[in-house]
Amino acid sequence: MIVDAKMTSKNQITIPKAVRDFLQLSENDTIEFNVEDDGVTIQRKKDDFWGVAEKQRVKYGVVNTPEIDWGKDVGSEVID
């Protein structure tokens, strides 16, 4: 598939719907440009667990809490 997009005077492009659908992009997704000598490829950036964790740390701060207290242990559970 070949799809064109035009760059604006502010060096911005709109990702064509066919490409958004193909890459399964949605709002706030990040795309990655892989620039090589023979061209550029784009792909949806995979979630980076530690990157997400760092964003949460920055937004909410460090939360040092003890282990969750689920109450007293009942004993062994029998699962049918």
Side-chain angles (χ1 to χ4, degrees):
M1 166 179 24
I2 296 177
V3 181
D4 294 331
K6 186 176 180 180
M7 188 180 312
T8 68
S9 61
K10 295 183 180 182
N11 298 321
Q12 298 173 331
I13 61 168
T14 298
I15 300 171
K17 183 172 180 356
V19 176
R20 292 191 316 261
D21 290 346
F22 181 78
L23 294 176
Q24 299 176 346
L25 294 172
S26 58
E27 187 176 347
N28 296 320
D29 280 347
T30 301
I31 59 172
E32 191 172 69
F33 293 86
N34 184 13
V35 181
E36 297 181 2
D37 291 337
D38 59 345
V40 177
T41 59
I42 66 168
Q43 65 185 26
R44 181 173 50 150
K45 188 168 182 174
K46 297 176 182 146
D47 292 332
D48 170 25
F49 174 78
W50 293 112
V52 171
E54 177 61 15
K55 287 179 187 175
Q56 294 295 312
R57 186 196 66 76
V58 168
K59 184 173 182 179
Y60 299 109
V62 176
V63 180
N64 290 324
T65 59
E67 184 177 329
I68 296 173
D69 183 7
W70 294 101
K72 202 171 189 180
D73 286 341
V74 176
S76 66
E77 299 292 331
V78 177
I79 300 173
D80 293 333

